[in-house]
Amino acid sequence: MQARRYLTAAALAAAFFAGPTAMVAQDPETKPDNTKINKRDRDKTEPTADQQKENKTDRALAKNIRSAIMEDKSLSTYAQNIKVIAQNGTVTLKGPVHSDEEKRAIEAKATEIAGAGNARNEISVKGDQEADREKKQ
């Protein structure tokens, strides 16, 4: 029993000191490149998550849209992690999803809650790379 505790503590310590990068397997061939997106978000006219308004109405609007997205279990994790930015009653949706269907579903939820003409859809469709790899095999 004492040895098991020691081994568990040693494994936890090793994982802690190895850091999060040791736990994530990365494909050495694939290098992340968000340069274009980062340049776009530096533009002062582009809403970013840190510009979310803190008034009660905009916070409630963003919360309600976020809740509607999270309740839809048919959406991928990517889709559920879309940025919802509310500013003066207008909502901007940003981020990648796997399909056009997910993009349309999120936009429909935002439009239903924010009202017609109050939802800007800046969602991009990236596709499911894992699914594409499985189909090839």
Side-chain angles (χ1 to χ4, degrees):
M1 189 65 141
Q2 189 83 0
R4 182 179 288 171
R5 284 188 193 150
Y6 175 75
L7 289 174
T8 302
L12 288 172
F16 175 78
F17 288 110
T21 56
M23 297 180 160
V24 178
Q26 282 187 317
D27 180 5
E29 305 271 324
T30 305
K31 297 197 179 357
D33 185 8
N34 295 330
T35 306
K36 291 179 185 174
I37 293 170
N38 292 338
K39 282 181 182 177
R40 176 198 69 197
D41 287 344
R42 279 189 216 121
D43 184 352
K44 299 294 183 203
T45 62
E46 286 291 324
T48 55
D50 65 327
Q51 295 171 350
Q52 165 72 48
K53 296 296 183 184
E54 291 300 321
N55 62 59
K56 191 174 184 177
T57 306
D58 282 335
R59 282 193 348 236
L61 180 60
K63 176 184 175 259
N64 291 339
I65 293 170
R66 167 76 43 220
S67 294
I69 292 169
M70 294 304 292
E71 287 172 8
D72 187 343
K73 300 303 178 194
S74 71
L75 296 174
S76 68
T77 304
Y78 269 53
Q80 291 180 340
N81 284 316
I82 287 297
K83 294 179 188 105
V84 179
I85 308 160
Q87 297 175 306
N88 304 317
T90 300
V91 177
T92 302
L93 307 167
K94 286 186 170 188
V97 295
H98 290 307
S99 68
D100 286 321
E101 292 79 25
E102 286 185 328
K103 181 177 178 177
R104 284 190 297 271
I106 293 169
E107 182 178 25
K109 291 174 192 318
T111 301
E112 181 181 330
I113 294 167
N118 291 326
R120 288 181 48 200
N121 187 346
E122 296 182 10
I123 297 172
S124 59
V125 177
K126 295 291 183 189
D128 188 345
Q129 294 175 352
E130 290 298 319
D132 291 344
R133 281 189 211 139
E134 289 175 12
K135 288 179 188 174
K136 290 178 184 177
Q137 292 177 351

PDB file of all heavy atoms in Angstrom, residues 86-110:
ATOM      1  N   ALA A  86     -20.481  40.493 -27.637  1.00  0.00           N
ATOM      2  CA  ALA A  86     -21.654  41.373 -27.692  1.00  0.00           C
ATOM      3  C   ALA A  86     -21.226  42.812 -27.420  1.00  0.00           C
ATOM      4  O   ALA A  86     -20.539  43.089 -26.441  1.00  0.00           O
ATOM      5  CB  ALA A  86     -22.691  40.932 -26.670  1.00  0.00           C
ATOM      6  N   GLN A  87     -21.639  43.699 -28.319  1.00  0.00           N
ATOM      7  CA  GLN A  87     -21.339  45.122 -28.187  1.00  0.00           C
ATOM      8  C   GLN A  87     -22.571  45.915 -28.605  1.00  0.00           C
ATOM      9  O   GLN A  87     -22.959  45.887 -29.773  1.00  0.00           O
ATOM     10  CB  GLN A  87     -20.158  45.522 -29.081  1.00  0.00           C
ATOM     11  CG  GLN A  87     -18.858  44.844 -28.720  1.00  0.00           C
ATOM     12  CD  GLN A  87     -17.765  45.186 -29.716  1.00  0.00           C
ATOM     13  OE1 GLN A  87     -17.938  45.009 -30.915  1.00  0.00           O
ATOM     14  NE2 GLN A  87     -16.650  45.670 -29.204  1.00  0.00           N
ATOM     15  N   ASN A  88     -23.172  46.578 -27.644  1.00  0.00           N
ATOM     16  CA  ASN A  88     -24.326  47.443 -27.912  1.00  0.00           C
ATOM     17  C   ASN A  88     -25.457  46.724 -28.650  1.00  0.00           C
ATOM     18  O   ASN A  88     -26.031  47.240 -29.595  1.00  0.00           O
ATOM     19  CB  ASN A  88     -23.886  48.685 -28.689  1.00  0.00           C
ATOM     20  CG  ASN A  88     -22.785  49.438 -27.968  1.00  0.00           C
ATOM     21  OD1 ASN A  88     -22.851  49.619 -26.753  1.00  0.00           O
ATOM     22  ND2 ASN A  88     -21.771  49.851 -28.692  1.00  0.00           N
ATOM     23  N   GLY A  89     -25.749  45.495 -28.240  1.00  0.00           N
ATOM     24  CA  GLY A  89     -26.851  44.733 -28.824  1.00  0.00           C
ATOM     25  C   GLY A  89     -26.514  43.977 -30.099  1.00  0.00           C
ATOM     26  O   GLY A  89     -27.340  43.243 -30.616  1.00  0.00           O
ATOM     27  N   THR A  90     -25.307  44.160 -30.614  1.00  0.00           N
ATOM     28  CA  THR A  90     -24.863  43.432 -31.801  1.00  0.00           C
ATOM     29  C   THR A  90     -23.869  42.364 -31.374  1.00  0.00           C
ATOM     30  O   THR A  90     -22.991  42.620 -30.559  1.00  0.00           O
ATOM     31  CB  THR A  90     -24.196  44.383 -32.810  1.00  0.00           C
ATOM     32  OG1 THR A  90     -25.147  45.376 -33.190  1.00  0.00           O
ATOM     33  CG2 THR A  90     -23.730  43.631 -34.046  1.00  0.00           C
ATOM     34  N   VAL A  91     -24.004  41.177 -31.939  1.00  0.00           N
ATOM     35  CA  VAL A  91     -23.141  40.060 -31.584  1.00  0.00           C
ATOM     36  C   VAL A  91     -22.248  39.709 -32.759  1.00  0.00           C
ATOM     37  O   VAL A  91     -22.711  39.622 -33.900  1.00  0.00           O
ATOM     38  CB  VAL A  91     -23.990  38.827 -31.196  1.00  0.00           C
ATOM     39  CG1 VAL A  91     -23.108  37.633 -30.905  1.00  0.00           C
ATOM     40  CG2 VAL A  91     -24.866  39.138 -30.015  1.00  0.00           C
ATOM     41  N   THR A  92     -20.963  39.503 -32.484  1.00  0.00           N
ATOM     42  CA  THR A  92     -20.023  39.026 -33.490  1.00  0.00           C
ATOM     43  C   THR A  92     -19.614  37.619 -33.105  1.00  0.00           C
ATOM     44  O   THR A  92     -19.251  37.359 -31.958  1.00  0.00           O
ATOM     45  CB  THR A  92     -18.782  39.930 -33.573  1.00  0.00           C
ATOM     46  OG1 THR A  92     -19.207  41.268 -33.866  1.00  0.00           O
ATOM     47  CG2 THR A  92     -17.824  39.460 -34.647  1.00  0.00           C
ATOM     48  N   LEU A  93     -19.684  36.706 -34.067  1.00  0.00           N
ATOM     49  CA  LEU A  93     -19.298  35.309 -33.867  1.00  0.00           C
ATOM     50  C   LEU A  93     -17.990  35.069 -34.610  1.00  0.00           C
ATOM     51  O   LEU A  93     -17.904  35.360 -35.799  1.00  0.00           O
ATOM     52  CB  LEU A  93     -20.383  34.382 -34.410  1.00  0.00           C
ATOM     53  CG  LEU A  93     -21.796  34.634 -33.890  1.00  0.00           C
ATOM     54  CD1 LEU A  93     -22.804  33.877 -34.728  1.00  0.00           C
ATOM     55  CD2 LEU A  93     -21.887  34.234 -32.432  1.00  0.00           C
ATOM     56  N   LYS A  94     -16.989  34.543 -33.910  1.00  0.00           N
ATOM     57  CA  LYS A  94     -15.679  34.304 -34.532  1.00  0.00           C
ATOM     58  C   LYS A  94     -15.133  32.957 -34.109  1.00  0.00           C
ATOM     59  O   LYS A  94     -15.388  32.498 -33.001  1.00  0.00           O
ATOM     60  CB  LYS A  94     -14.670  35.368 -34.089  1.00  0.00           C
ATOM     61  CG  LYS A  94     -14.861  36.716 -34.697  1.00  0.00           C
ATOM     62  CD  LYS A  94     -13.719  37.622 -34.278  1.00  0.00           C
ATOM     63  CE  LYS A  94     -13.739  38.897 -35.066  1.00  0.00           C
ATOM     64  NZ  LYS A  94     -12.562  39.713 -34.817  1.00  0.00           N
ATOM     65  N   GLY A  95     -14.334  32.384 -34.998  1.00  0.00           N
ATOM     66  CA  GLY A  95     -13.644  31.143 -34.686  1.00  0.00           C
ATOM     67  C   GLY A  95     -13.900  30.090 -35.737  1.00  0.00           C
ATOM     68  O   GLY A  95     -14.720  30.267 -36.628  1.00  0.00           O
ATOM     69  N   PRO A  96     -13.192  28.964 -35.630  1.00  0.00           N
ATOM     70  CA  PRO A  96     -13.348  27.886 -36.610  1.00  0.00           C
ATOM     71  C   PRO A  96     -14.387  26.857 -36.196  1.00  0.00           C
ATOM     72  O   PRO A  96     -14.588  26.603 -35.014  1.00  0.00           O
ATOM     73  CB  PRO A  96     -11.958  27.248 -36.618  1.00  0.00           C
ATOM     74  CG  PRO A  96     -11.476  27.425 -35.213  1.00  0.00           C
ATOM     75  CD  PRO A  96     -12.032  28.749 -34.762  1.00  0.00           C
ATOM     76  N   VAL A  97     -15.068  26.301 -37.187  1.00  0.00           N
ATOM     77  CA  VAL A  97     -15.964  25.154 -36.998  1.00  0.00           C
ATOM     78  C   VAL A  97     -15.604  24.114 -38.051  1.00  0.00           C
ATOM     79  O   VAL A  97     -14.834  24.382 -38.962  1.00  0.00           O
ATOM     80  CB  VAL A  97     -17.460  25.547 -37.105  1.00  0.00           C
ATOM     81  CG1 VAL A  97     -17.860  26.487 -35.989  1.00  0.00           C
ATOM     82  CG2 VAL A  97     -17.780  26.150 -38.450  1.00  0.00           C
ATOM     83  N   HIS A  98     -16.185  22.931 -37.915  1.00  0.00           N
ATOM     84  CA  HIS A  98     -15.840  21.843 -38.832  1.00  0.00           C
ATOM     85  C   HIS A  98     -16.665  21.820 -40.117  1.00  0.00           C
ATOM     86  O   HIS A  98     -16.258  21.200 -41.087  1.00  0.00           O
ATOM     87  CB  HIS A  98     -15.983  20.489 -38.129  1.00  0.00           C
ATOM     88  CG  HIS A  98     -14.938  20.253 -37.092  1.00  0.00           C
ATOM     89  ND1 HIS A  98     -13.598  20.370 -37.340  1.00  0.00           N
ATOM     90  CD2 HIS A  98     -15.033  19.907 -35.791  1.00  0.00           C
ATOM     91  CE1 HIS A  98     -12.913  20.096 -36.246  1.00  0.00           C
ATOM     92  NE2 HIS A  98     -13.761  19.829 -35.286  1.00  0.00           N
ATOM     93  N   SER A  99     -17.838  22.455 -40.119  1.00  0.00           N
ATOM     94  CA  SER A  99     -18.691  22.342 -41.311  1.00  0.00           C
ATOM     95  C   SER A  99     -19.569  23.574 -41.488  1.00  0.00           C
ATOM     96  O   SER A  99     -19.781  24.355 -40.551  1.00  0.00           O
ATOM     97  CB  SER A  99     -19.580  21.101 -41.194  1.00  0.00           C
ATOM     98  OG  SER A  99     -20.526  21.282 -40.144  1.00  0.00           O
ATOM     99  N   ASP A 100     -20.111  23.692 -42.703  1.00  0.00           N
ATOM    100  CA  ASP A 100     -21.061  24.765 -42.995  1.00  0.00           C
ATOM    101  C   ASP A 100     -22.332  24.608 -42.161  1.00  0.00           C
ATOM    102  O   ASP A 100     -22.946  25.603 -41.787  1.00  0.00           O
ATOM    103  CB  ASP A 100     -21.436  24.769 -44.483  1.00  0.00           C
ATOM    104  CG  ASP A 100     -20.312  25.316 -45.352  1.00  0.00           C
ATOM    105  OD1 ASP A 100     -19.649  26.288 -44.929  1.00  0.00           O
ATOM    106  OD2 ASP A 100     -20.111  24.777 -46.458  1.00  0.00           O
ATOM    107  N   GLU A 101     -22.717  23.342 -41.867  1.00  0.00           N
ATOM    108  CA  GLU A 101     -23.909  23.103 -41.066  1.00  0.00           C
ATOM    109  C   GLU A 101     -23.746  23.690 -39.669  1.00  0.00           C
ATOM    110  O   GLU A 101     -24.667  24.307 -39.125  1.00  0.00           O
ATOM    111  CB  GLU A 101     -24.217  21.595 -40.969  1.00  0.00           C
ATOM    112  CG  GLU A 101     -24.645  20.960 -42.280  1.00  0.00           C
ATOM    113  CD  GLU A 101     -23.461  20.646 -43.215  1.00  0.00           C
ATOM    114  OE1 GLU A 101     -22.312  20.462 -42.733  1.00  0.00           O
ATOM    115  OE2 GLU A 101     -23.689  20.612 -44.428  1.00  0.00           O
ATOM    116  N   GLU A 102     -22.558  23.496 -39.076  1.00  0.00           N
ATOM    117  CA  GLU A 102     -22.305  24.059 -37.747  1.00  0.00           C
ATOM    118  C   GLU A 102     -22.329  25.592 -37.800  1.00  0.00           C
ATOM    119  O   GLU A 102     -22.897  26.242 -36.931  1.00  0.00           O
ATOM    120  CB  GLU A 102     -20.955  23.585 -37.195  1.00  0.00           C
ATOM    121  CG  GLU A 102     -20.965  22.152 -36.738  1.00  0.00           C
ATOM    122  CD  GLU A 102     -19.670  21.733 -36.078  1.00  0.00           C
ATOM    123  OE1 GLU A 102     -18.589  22.248 -36.451  1.00  0.00           O
ATOM    124  OE2 GLU A 102     -19.745  20.878 -35.174  1.00  0.00           O
ATOM    125  N   LYS A 103     -21.733  26.134 -38.840  1.00  0.00           N
ATOM    126  CA  LYS A 103     -21.708  27.590 -39.004  1.00  0.00           C
ATOM    127  C   LYS A 103     -23.128  28.144 -39.071  1.00  0.00           C
ATOM    128  O   LYS A 103     -23.463  29.118 -38.391  1.00  0.00           O
ATOM    129  CB  LYS A 103     -20.918  27.935 -40.270  1.00  0.00           C
ATOM    130  CG  LYS A 103     -20.792  29.421 -40.545  1.00  0.00           C
ATOM    131  CD  LYS A 103     -19.938  29.665 -41.780  1.00  0.00           C
ATOM    132  CE  LYS A 103     -19.845  31.145 -42.105  1.00  0.00           C
ATOM    133  NZ  LYS A 103     -18.974  31.408 -43.257  1.00  0.00           N
ATOM    134  N   ARG A 104     -23.972  27.509 -39.880  1.00  0.00           N
ATOM    135  CA  ARG A 104     -25.363  27.961 -40.018  1.00  0.00           C
ATOM    136  C   ARG A 104     -26.140  27.784 -38.712  1.00  0.00           C
ATOM    137  O   ARG A 104     -26.947  28.639 -38.338  1.00  0.00           O
ATOM    138  CB  ARG A 104     -26.052  27.210 -41.152  1.00  0.00           C
ATOM    139  CG  ARG A 104     -25.644  27.713 -42.530  1.00  0.00           C
ATOM    140  CD  ARG A 104     -26.531  27.118 -43.626  1.00  0.00           C
ATOM    141  NE  ARG A 104     -26.424  25.673 -43.736  1.00  0.00           N
ATOM    142  CZ  ARG A 104     -25.536  25.033 -44.507  1.00  0.00           C
ATOM    143  NH1 ARG A 104     -24.674  25.720 -45.230  1.00  0.00           N
ATOM    144  NH2 ARG A 104     -25.509  23.721 -44.555  1.00  0.00           N
ATOM    145  N   ALA A 105     -25.920  26.669 -38.020  1.00  0.00           N
ATOM    146  CA  ALA A 105     -26.639  26.408 -36.768  1.00  0.00           C
ATOM    147  C   ALA A 105     -26.311  27.463 -35.713  1.00  0.00           C
ATOM    148  O   ALA A 105     -27.202  27.976 -35.022  1.00  0.00           O
ATOM    149  CB  ALA A 105     -26.291  25.014 -36.243  1.00  0.00           C
ATOM    150  N   ILE A 106     -25.043  27.824 -35.598  1.00  0.00           N
ATOM    151  CA  ILE A 106     -24.634  28.833 -34.613  1.00  0.00           C
ATOM    152  C   ILE A 106     -25.204  30.194 -34.987  1.00  0.00           C
ATOM    153  O   ILE A 106     -25.713  30.924 -34.138  1.00  0.00           O
ATOM    154  CB  ILE A 106     -23.096  28.869 -34.476  1.00  0.00           C
ATOM    155  CG1 ILE A 106     -22.615  27.564 -33.856  1.00  0.00           C
ATOM    156  CG2 ILE A 106     -22.655  30.066 -33.652  1.00  0.00           C
ATOM    157  CD1 ILE A 106     -21.121  27.374 -33.898  1.00  0.00           C
ATOM    158  N   GLU A 107     -25.134  30.534 -36.264  1.00  0.00           N
ATOM    159  CA  GLU A 107     -25.671  31.818 -36.708  1.00  0.00           C
ATOM    160  C   GLU A 107     -27.180  31.888 -36.443  1.00  0.00           C
ATOM    161  O   GLU A 107     -27.699  32.920 -36.010  1.00  0.00           O
ATOM    162  CB  GLU A 107     -25.391  32.054 -38.186  1.00  0.00           C
ATOM    163  CG  GLU A 107     -25.894  33.400 -38.670  1.00  0.00           C
ATOM    164  CD  GLU A 107     -25.572  33.674 -40.126  1.00  0.00           C
ATOM    165  OE1 GLU A 107     -25.391  32.704 -40.898  1.00  0.00           O
ATOM    166  OE2 GLU A 107     -25.501  34.860 -40.492  1.00  0.00           O
ATOM    167  N   ALA A 108     -27.882  30.788 -36.679  1.00  0.00           N
ATOM    168  CA  ALA A 108     -29.335  30.764 -36.446  1.00  0.00           C
ATOM    169  C   ALA A 108     -29.652  30.988 -34.970  1.00  0.00           C
ATOM    170  O   ALA A 108     -30.579  31.743 -34.633  1.00  0.00           O
ATOM    171  CB  ALA A 108     -29.923  29.435 -36.924  1.00  0.00           C
ATOM    172  N   LYS A 109     -28.884  30.362 -34.091  1.00  0.00           N
ATOM    173  CA  LYS A 109     -29.094  30.543 -32.646  1.00  0.00           C
ATOM    174  C   LYS A 109     -28.856  32.006 -32.255  1.00  0.00           C
ATOM    175  O   LYS A 109     -29.635  32.595 -31.509  1.00  0.00           O
ATOM    176  CB  LYS A 109     -28.168  29.632 -31.851  1.00  0.00           C
ATOM    177  CG  LYS A 109     -28.499  28.155 -31.968  1.00  0.00           C
ATOM    178  CD  LYS A 109     -27.445  27.314 -31.281  1.00  0.00           C
ATOM    179  CE  LYS A 109     -27.551  25.847 -31.595  1.00  0.00           C
ATOM    180  NZ  LYS A 109     -28.850  25.270 -31.612  1.00  0.00           N
ATOM    181  N   ALA A 110     -27.761  32.581 -32.758  1.00  0.00           N
ATOM    182  CA  ALA A 110     -27.434  33.973 -32.425  1.00  0.00           C
ATOM    183  C   ALA A 110     -28.489  34.933 -32.965  1.00  0.00           C
ATOM    184  O   ALA A 110     -28.906  35.869 -32.267  1.00  0.00           O
ATOM    185  CB  ALA A 110     -26.060  34.330 -32.981  1.00  0.00           C
TER     186      ALA A 110
END
